[in-house]
Amino acid sequence: MNIALAQINVHVGNFAANLEKMLGYVANAKEQGADIVVFPELATTGYPPRDFLEFDDFIDKAEEVVNELAKAAEGIAIVVGSVSRNPVVEGKDLYNSVYFLSGGRIQQVQHKTLLPTYDIFDEYRYFEPAHEWNVVRYQDKTIAMVVCEDSWNVGNENPLYKINPMDQMMAHKPDLIINVSASPFNYEHAAERVRVMKVNAERYGIPLYLVNHVGAQTEVLFDGGSVVVNQKGDVIDELPYFQESMRIFNTEEVWSGDNISGEQPRNKMTLIHDGIVMGIKNYFGKLGFKKAILGLSGGIDSALVAVLAARALGPDNVRCILMPSQHSSDHSVNDARQLAENLGCQYDIVPIESIYNSYMDVLKPFYWGKPEGLAEENLQARARGMLLMAFSNKFGNILLNTSNKSEMAVGYGTLYGDMCGGLSVIGDVYKTECFELARYMNKDGEVIPENIITKPPSAELKPDQFDSDSLPPYDQLDAVLYQYVEMTQSPQDIIDMGFDAELVRKTLRLVNINEFKRYQTAPVLRVSKKAFGMGRRLPIVGKYLN
Amino acid sequence: MNIALAQINVHVGNFAANLEKMLGYVANAKEQGADIVVFPELATTGYPPRDFLEFDDFIDKAEEVVNELAKAAEGIAIVVGSVSRNPVVEGKDLYNSVYFLSGGRIQQVQHKTLLPTYDIFDEYRYFEPAHEWNVVRYQDKTIAMVVCEDSWNVGNENPLYKINPMDQMMAHKPDLIINVSASPFNYEHAAERVRVMKVNAERYGIPLYLVNHVGAQTEVLFDGGSVVVNQKGDVIDELPYFQESMRIFNTEEVWSGDNISGEQPRNKMTLIHDGIVMGIKNYFGKLGFKKAILGLSGGIDSALVAVLAARALGPDNVRCILMPSQHSSDHSVNDARQLAENLGCQYDIVPIESIYNSYMDVLKPFYWGKPEGLAEENLQARARGMLLMAFSNKFGNILLNTSNKSEMAVGYGTLYGDMCGGLSVIGDVYKTECFELARYMNKDGEVIPENIITKPPSAELKPDQFDSDSLPPYDQLDAVLYQYVEMTQSPQDIIDMGFDAELVRKTLRLVNINEFKRYQTAPVLRVSKKAFGMGRRLPIVGKYLN
């Protein structure tokens, strides 16, 4: 039997486009001799559909797509994730299901059992868990269909769930497992996905075919990396990362293990780079926009965003605005200009001093007698934010936000100033990782001028200002932030690791008191296992460690 | 037996303060002869603690509070909601529990079964549901303790859950039910809470004592309204709305129904008004701020916010900034000034024309040849936002956002302009409700100048501009928005109600394409059953009805 795994990039709620795309793959798979073509979890609606699932009309439209696909399931079977209605009045109204379509109709529907409700996931908000488990008989095979998380309750020290639907499935003695997934990217996740699927295949002694989404839905990135593991635990093949792709696998060949392509290489910076480029591309593409704008300061953060945007959208679609003030150093403007030229992006220089002065003229009578400080620094950042929005509004470009994860964490950014923008491109990349990423970008020749990477970071909002004046060295800061944000360690735990107690307390306090700023930040492309945004939900008025 | 219901206003994560407050109530209840004092759900941590629950250290601190309360439970029993650890490795690590403390120790712990995971609720993100149900024997009574939602699976046409923990409890033949709740306010909720508790008491034929939180945790408001219903379904008493309060009930008196105070009157505008005033007060109080600032335009929205802020914080703590442009009418400035004088708030007039011109001077070479439009209008709104932030930063006042729900819905506001602010005060109040609220505020004498209420709404960003130029009449718009936002009706459903098809499609499209603006908006004080913010989660790049 030939099984085609189609890791596709659908668009949340775009039913017509998603159906058309899947029909194309069905035709293609059939032409190539596939017996079954497999699409990911909730491929009809896109993932995550979020509260669109509360609209009855939205569910109707998903059901129409399944019915249309069923009609196309002639001479080929289709396995596809979609939503289904719970016929029982008690419990949630929906199931997250996988459909088996063949002979022009729906042959089987299996619901998802384990509903991830953590980090970015909200599945129990919408879905009832499965209470029955069945297999499908197709040609000479017995096939167990499962949805994503249902294969993940294996090999964890602290499992989130009391039951294991894989055990239930195995009672039916299937010949193979098909897993339809929406398994979001982080730079450690593909390795973990392969590991967990190997554990499954080995434990149950049968082959496993997993198909994942690829593409970005706002902040959530999917890397693809669909994977086939045989009953011995051999990784037969892994589909590419960050690319739509379909491959056909012969079940006998998978069983024999004669033809092993194996896993792909995984380099952290390659994954982050490629993931973000896809994230930008899809954000613009799915919103129907082409052009980006950003403020280029001469610092490393905006340099990274410029490179990533130029690679995602093409240099012609990226406009850079240099907005020097009296505190900007000459090298900043030169470095920024050099970068724009390296990239081939349009750039304009728009000094902000006259605007800043017009504010100060108006504010002078009110500020009289008060020492200069943060308010004046913020005014500069906000004048820049406003100018960028003035370009964005007039020319229809989306403003890209250039904040990194370290500064988002400690609130080292100005709300409505440098925190403006429709999409936070590197908001899940710590400052120390920014330097790594810059080096990675320059690996085949200098794109980012060396001086941008090597000079000491500065916001340049007052004379001779450096980040190190108000923040600890980034290597220490980032290490503490990682333990707190990603690992949810307590202050004492982190101190016990050998970090300075004062540094730890001050850092955690900054993280917590700046929740109000992050609340108003653009969606952040998620590349780590704990990004700011929808996956990390904290109270603003919470009084904890502050 | 005498049962004290203590509806208290705790602070999320502020363990020391929460403990101190509860110990005060324990002493007071004991002095007044109570046998038991009851505190709300998760009273130790505050509700909702959100992802603080992922920090082990946070759970330790909650356990310490329970242990301290247990020590104080001498000569009086304490019933209190808190978190507890799941000793079983499988499943979520925590339970949402209610503790019975007496004789200086923990006597009983009952976990919550039904975990609300919808709207603002995320309980299954953190908690394992209960699988065992037990009662407590205290003095001569058998007491069933339940947590909030566990009493709500009665009398619904489409129940969210398959099981009913109340039925399980009844197997133990309790004499009375104590329900500890975190039942958030909306203007319809108190009536619903009383109705559901009556259904419980009547169905099971035993008295029910419910204690609820009062106070605001960022956007989530709790109205209190703790309620006692006897076995006949008589509402014996309801504690006040929006006030911390303790009352003691004698179980024999409750049973006999001889002393019935009954339900409180509920007026929609009173509830909204009092809820928002409490919301502002607690937002500032819990953050440790005293002073607010807002832009007063002469329109009804900012007028409402000024009144609400003055009533919450005192007029001395509210600073109003009038920022006229060349498009502002004379009456706007006069009306705004009159309002500030009526309230006794400080006000300053800061014209924005010079700032606007300084932007246009800089932008002229770039804007050349382009028609004037939205970008210029937004610049005015943003110049005001920046000025307000300049005051906020220099003087330490929190900026209040003045957007209403109708404009938030359709995106009729400028991001980083009039959408600035730390707290959205009336973002859950439709424009038509704004007029009602203004009338309500003026019921005992004119606070808001009549002209502010009666003049046609205008953003005053270009000459002779009125909201009605680009939006349908507010009564129609709000009716359509209500059906879509609160009732999740489809376009066709709404058209079938008799609304113009074009109006419906255009409105729903505006709602959906403006998700990106709402994503970056301040938290909105929630007064309806579906507010923008954490309770309504939609994709930005979603392609549905747009």
Side-chain angles (χ1 to χ4, degrees), chain B residues 98-127:
Chain B
V98 51
Y99 288 75
F100 194 93
L101 315 174
S102 76
R105 56 188 279 280
I106 299 172
Q107 299 289 351
Q108 176 76 278
V109 187
Q110 175 61 49
H111 309 313
K112 187 175 186 176
T113 313
L114 308 182
L115 300 172
T117 306
Y118 53 78
D119 195 65
I120 61 149
F121 295 107
D122 281 307
E123 292 200 18
Y124 186 64
R125 186 172 169 93
Y126 313 105
F127 300 119

Side-chain angles (χ1 to χ4, degrees), chain B residues 243-260:
Chain B
Q243 285 173 44
E244 203 167 88
S245 165
M246 183 176 80
R247 283 189 197 160
I248 298 181
F249 297 91
N250 178 272
T251 52
E252 310 312 313
E253 264 184 45
V254 166
W255 186 273
S256 69
D258 288 344
N259 190 0
I260 296 187

Side-chain angles (χ1 to χ4, degrees), chain A residues 11-13 51 57 119 125 350 358-359 367 371 376 378 382 386 390 393-394 416 421 520 537 541 543-544, chain B residues 11-13 51 57 119 125 358-359 362 367 371 376 378 382 390 393-394 416 421 520 537 541 543-544:
Chain A
H11 182 181
V12 167
D51 287 0
D57 171 65
D119 195 65
R125 186 173 168 92
V350 188
S358 76
Y359 278 102
Y367 276 20
E376 285 79 3
N378 285 347
R382 292 197 176 111
M386 266 190 76
N393 288 159
K394 191 58 112 186
Y416 322 129
Q520 296 191 40
R537 304 175 186 171
V541 300
K543 183 81 185 165
Y544 175 57
Chain B
H11 183 181
V12 167
D51 286 2
D57 171 65
D119 195 65
R125 186 172 169 93
S358 76
Y359 277 104
V362 166
Y367 275 20
E376 286 79 2
N378 284 347
R382 292 197 176 109
N393 288 160
K394 192 56 109 187
Y416 322 129
Q520 295 190 41
R537 304 174 187 173
V541 301
K543 183 80 185 166
Y544 174 59

